Amino acid sequence: MKKLMHGLLVISFLFLTGSVFAEHYVNGVEGIKGGSVPPPGTYLRLYNAYYTADKMMDPSGSEADIGFDVEVMAVVPRLIWVSQKTVLGGNYAADIIVPFVSTDLQIDAAGLGDDQTGLGDIFIEPLVLAWHGDRYDAAVGAGVWLPTGDYDASEPASPGKDMYTTMLTLGGTVYADAARTWSASLLSRYEIHSEMDELDLTPGDDFHFEWGVAKTVGKYWDIGLAGYCQWQVTKDKGRDRQSNEKDQVYAAGPEVSVFIPKAMLFASLRALWEFEAEDRSEGQMAVLTLTKIF
């Protein structure tokens, strides 16, 4: 009976939200030196992310025996502009993210299978300030996720979330030596969700932070560890909410990055394993990020 109730709760949540994850921000996409904004210039960053999980965890952190399996692949271009203009001593910057998402979801206990591919919700960040010192970088930002992706409450793999999300950012990187070869970074995000359009449901606020420690080797290479933590900090609201619980997850894994001077290109690759998940899936994440300097 306990397993059945866990399964019904998960299935009800997925049908109501029409999305595997309530939050907009994708954990684990930044990694080492994630708290640093680049110097003035124009950059095109391409995130290539793959997430897979075959566990759905209940609010107590136990696996719900419902035959859960999900694969999410995303190709996400991000245009970043950092100006020479300074405000409060920091460089003004702005960026836009346009995600393309493919999700394949199965829940055997419900006889459910859904596979959707399409444009996700676009993120516009018109306000970023970035500071750079001899042994630190720091940044703050504010932006909004727009409900541009297709959404259907009966399709759990929908690429859109059917809501607006305000996202506030605070991050930094510190360097342990004058040559800046040892780094430690934190990047925090706070998401405030609006009420969904099709449902009487306002998902609770989410707090994320990503961390990374790294060593520069041979001038152009960085090798280190990265990870993330994510907590739902307020409860869902509305008649269509199915749970009084808050979700959470942690992850950690290795990362390597390299700068290719001739191509003016940065490339990074990280693999992250999730643990201690509650009221959500628990799986693995791999991200290949390419950043072109113009």
Side-chain angles (χ1 to χ4, degrees):
M1 178 60 70
K2 185 177 180 181
K3 291 182 179 180
L4 177 60
M5 290 305 297
H6 289 168
L8 290 175
L9 281 172
V10 172
I11 294 164
S12 297
F13 173 78
L14 290 172
F15 270 114
L16 281 172
T17 63
S19 180
V20 179
F21 307 110
E23 67 272 8
H24 264 114
Y25 183 68
V26 178
N27 295 309
V29 296
E30 295 299 344
I32 59 177
K33 298 182 182 178
S36 299
V37 172
T42 301
Y43 305 83
L44 180 61
R45 180 167 292 173
L46 185 66
Y47 304 96
N48 302 275
Y50 174 74
Y51 177 83
T52 182
D54 60 6
K55 295 180 181 179
M56 177 60 76
M57 314 306 286
D58 68 16
S60 69
S62 299
E63 182 179 355
D65 186 13
I66 59 172
F68 177 85
D69 188 74
V70 66
E71 289 188 353
V72 182
M73 291 178 285
V75 177
V76 185
R78 178 185 186 187
L79 183 63
I80 305 168
W81 172 68
V82 184
S83 75
Q84 296 281 358
K85 182 177 180 180
T86 60
V87 179
L88 300 176
N91 291 101
Y92 171 76
D95 64 283
I96 182 171
I97 297 173
V98 183
F100 297 90
V101 185
S102 178
T103 301
D104 188 350
L105 172 69
Q106 290 188 335
I107 302 177
D108 293 341
L112 171 66
D114 192 25
D115 185 356
Q116 302 286 331
T117 300
L119 173 69
D121 292 345
I122 293 173
F123 177 67
I124 298 175
E125 191 170 33
L127 177 59
V128 178
L129 295 178
W131 295 266
H132 305 282
D134 291 339
R135 291 201 180 185
Y136 75 89
D137 300 316
V140 297
V144 62
W145 294 90
L146 308 173
T148 53
D150 287 340
Y151 172 84
D152 189 315
S154 66
E155 296 176 350
S158 293
K161 304 288 186 180
D162 194 39
M163 62 185 175
Y164 293 87
T165 295
T166 299
M167 188 169 78
L168 307 176
T169 296
L170 173 64
T173 302
V174 295
Y175 301 91
D177 58 327
R180 295 164 67 107
T181 64
W182 284 99
S183 65
S185 65
L186 287 176
L187 178 64
S188 61
R189 315 276 200 182
Y190 193 89
E191 290 187 308
I192 305 168
H193 309 296
S194 74
E195 183 178 1
M196 300 177 69
D197 185 54
E198 289 194 18
L199 302 170
D200 183 8
L201 175 64
T202 302
D205 296 354
D206 289 289
F207 176 71
H208 315 248
F209 80 79
E210 299 182 66
W211 58 266
V213 292
K215 169 66 175 173
T216 301
V217 180
K219 191 176 182 179
Y220 296 125
W221 291 85
D222 282 295
I223 299 173
L225 294 174
Y228 58 80
C229 311
Q230 182 253 314
W231 300 277
Q232 182 181 344
V233 295
T234 65
K235 295 180 179 180
D236 298 343
K237 299 177 182 178
R239 290 193 306 270
D240 291 326
R241 70 185 173 97
Q242 292 296 297
S243 174
N244 230 4
E245 305 296 334
K246 303 173 186 176
D247 63 72
Q248 68 172 45
V249 70
Y250 305 86
E255 177 176 352
V256 59
S257 68
V258 62
F259 176 58
I260 306 170
K262 289 185 178 180
M264 296 298 285
L265 181 73
F266 286 92
S268 69
L269 178 65
R270 78 189 60 87
L272 304 167
W273 284 264
E274 293 183 329
F275 57 94
E276 296 296 326
E278 294 180 3
D279 202 32
R280 57 166 293 146
S281 63
E282 183 177 284
Q284 301 84 43
M285 180 86 166
V287 184
L288 171 66
T289 305
L290 305 173
T291 304
K292 171 65 177 175
I293 306 172
F294 291 96

